[in-house]
């Protein structure tokens, strides 16, 4: 099963990758290594998740923010690689 199929099965959708601003590049592929830029918890509509866990943000909201970041990272990786199935291992 492809990663994209599994995401769909889980009811998760990758947001569109962010538009580059200035010198920002979501990721760079060097040989077989993909170097990714960091991303924040930005929703598909452009709104940002803000707050501090334990100080106005619940644990559930923290999990949701982490999920948004992970989906954004996968979206950036897909844009660079063409397919998430090219990912063999995550190093860091």
């Amino acid at each position: 099963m492809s990663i994209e199929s599994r995401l769909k099965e889980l009811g998760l959708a990758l947001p569109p990758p962010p538009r580059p601003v200035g010198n920002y590049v979501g990721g760079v592929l060097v040989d077989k290594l993909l170097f990714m830029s960091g991303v924040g918890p930005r929703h598909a509509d452009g709104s940002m998740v803000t707050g501090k866990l334990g100080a106005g943000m619940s644990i559930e909201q923290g999990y949701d923010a982490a999920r948004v970041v992970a989906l954004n990272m996968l979206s950036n990786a897909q844009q660079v690689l063409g397919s998430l199935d090219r990912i063999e291992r995550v190093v860091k």
Side-chain angles (χ1 to χ4, degrees), residues 62-77:
Y63 278 124
D64 289 338
R67 183 177 295 113
V68 169
V69 169
L71 290 173
N72 286 335
M73 289 294 290
L74 289 172
S75 177
N76 284 350

Side-chain angles (χ1 to χ4, degrees), residues 16-21 24:
R19 292 190 181 117
V21 176
Y24 175 80

Side-chain angles (χ1 to χ4, degrees), residues 2-73:
S2 74
I3 294 174
E4 286 89 353
S5 304
R6 181 67 176 140
L7 288 171
K8 185 182 260 187
E9 182 180 289
L10 293 170
L12 299 172
L14 295 180
R19 292 190 181 117
V21 176
N23 293 332
Y24 175 80
V25 177
V28 175
L29 187 62
V30 179
D31 293 325
K32 291 185 174 186
L33 296 175
L34 175 61
F35 294 90
M36 300 295 300
S37 296
V39 297
R42 182 180 307 269
H43 291 285
D45 66 4
S47 64
M48 291 288 289
V49 176
T50 58
K52 185 174 181 180
L53 194 61
M57 179 185 278
S58 69
I59 291 176
E60 182 178 296
Q61 290 170 318
Y63 278 124
D64 289 338
R67 183 177 295 113
V68 169
V69 169
L71 290 173
N72 286 335
M73 289 294 290

